[in-house]
Amino acid sequence: METYKVIEIKESVFADNNREADRIRASLKREKTFLLNLMSSPGSGKTTTLLRTIEALKGELRMGVMEADIDSDVDAAAVANAGVRSIQLHTGGMCHLDAGMTEQGLKELGTADLDLVVLENVGNLVCPAEFDTGAVKNAMILSVPEGHDKPLKYPLIFTVCDVLLINKIDVLPYFDFDLEKVREYAHMRNPRLKIFPVSARTGEGVDAWTDWLKAQVRDWT
C-alpha cells in the first residue's frame, strides 16, 4: 500500500501575492505616486474612458499608463499619441495581472516623477478581480450594453472595487438598462462603492469622475 502525506493548507494561496502588493503600495507611498487599477470586460470602452480621463487631467497631474493585454500594442499606442508615457504589458495568455507583473511594469515605466499611474488591466470581469496588484484604488467600468444584472453575476469585482463607472450612458434610450437597478445591485455587493454614470464618447459625467480621482491622489500624496 502506498504511503501518502496529508497537507493542511492554513494560508491563502494568494498570501504571497498580497504581501508583495502591500510592498508595492508602501513603495508608491514613499514616492508619492498613486496607482489605479482599472478593470472591465472587453468592449466596455475602457481605453476610450481612459483617454477622456487623460484629457481632463492633463496639466494637473503627471500621468503614466500601463496597458495589459494578451497581445498587441494598440492601446499603448493610443495613450502615447495622447501625450502620456505608456508601456504595453503582454501577459503571455494570462487573463490577469498579479502584483509581481505589476511591479515589473512599474519599474519599466518609471514612477519617481509621476503623480498617477493607471494600470489598464486585461479585459475580464473574473480573473483580474482575484489578484491584488498593489494599486491604491480599484476601479471598474460597466457599459450600458452589458446589462444592469452584472453585479449579481460577477460579485467579486464589484466587492473589491472602490468606484464603478457606468459607461455609454448616451445609448441608454436604446437598451433595456435600469440605472437604479444597477445601483441597487452594486451596493448590495459593496455599500461603499462610488458610482459615476459617464459617457466616454460625449464626455458627460467625466468631470465628476476625475474630480473624485484628483481628490484620491491628493489624499495619497
Side-chain angles (χ1 to χ4, degrees):
M1 182 176 180
E2 293 186 9
T3 60
Y4 59 89
K5 293 181 179 180
V6 176
I7 301 173
E8 294 186 23
I9 304 298
K10 295 185 177 180
E11 191 171 30
S12 167
V13 294
F14 297 109
D16 286 343
N17 181 80
N18 294 344
R19 282 191 289 268
E20 188 164 3
D22 286 338
R23 288 195 296 270
I24 292 171
R25 270 186 290 274
S27 176
L28 291 170
K29 182 69 171 177
R30 289 191 296 271
E31 289 186 354
K32 299 184 177 181
T33 301
F34 186 99
L35 176 61
L36 177 74
N37 179 27
L38 182 61
M39 299 176 282
S40 78
S41 61
S44 66
K46 192 157 68 265
T47 303
T48 306
T49 302
L50 179 54
L51 291 171
R52 276 285 184 182
T53 302
I54 289 169
E55 180 183 350
L57 296 178
K58 190 173 287 187
E60 296 191 55
L61 296 175
R62 299 169 299 170
M63 293 182 62
V65 173
M66 300 188 295
E67 293 284 353
D69 282 300
I70 293 173
D71 205 347
S72 93
D73 60 356
V74 174
D75 293 341
V79 171
N81 287 337
V84 170
R85 187 192 309 171
S86 66
I87 61 170
Q88 186 75 50
L89 305 176
H90 286 166
T91 64
M94 296 183 69
C95 59
H96 67 276
L97 260 70
D98 60 21
M101 297 170 171
T102 302
E103 186 172 36
Q104 290 180 54
L106 290 169
K107 287 178 179 176
E108 291 296 326
L109 181 69
T111 58
D113 60 342
L114 298 177
D115 303 308
L116 170 64
V117 174
V118 179
L119 168 60
E120 185 177 337
N121 217 314
V122 181
N124 190 319
L125 290 181
V126 181
C127 304
E130 296 178 340
F131 291 85
D132 189 342
T133 61
V136 183
K137 296 290 182 180
N138 294 313
M140 69 167 293
I141 299 173
L142 173 67
S143 64
V144 166
E146 293 176 78
H148 57 253
D149 58 355
K150 288 299 180 289
L152 302 179
K153 295 181 176 181
Y154 301 94
L156 181 61
I157 193 165
F158 290 87
T159 302
V160 302
C161 280
D162 303 282
V163 60
L164 165 64
L165 304 178
I166 303 174
N167 190 29
K168 304 186 182 181
I169 59 172
D170 51 300
V171 299
L172 271 170
Y174 308 104
F175 288 88
D176 182 19
F177 187 94
D178 190 324
L179 271 174
E180 293 310 309
K181 279 293 183 185
V182 79
R183 288 180 189 273
E184 177 188 345
Y185 296 154
H187 283 145
M188 282 169 53
R189 301 302 186 190
N190 183 354
R192 297 180 301 279
L193 189 66
K194 296 286 186 182
I195 300 177
F196 297 100
V198 302
S199 169
R201 187 177 71 86
T202 68
E204 183 180 355
V206 171
D207 284 347
W209 149 241
T210 55
D211 284 346
W212 178 87
L213 184 54
K214 283 187 289 187
Q216 299 303 308
V217 175
R218 284 196 302 269
D219 289 346
W220 178 252
T221 57

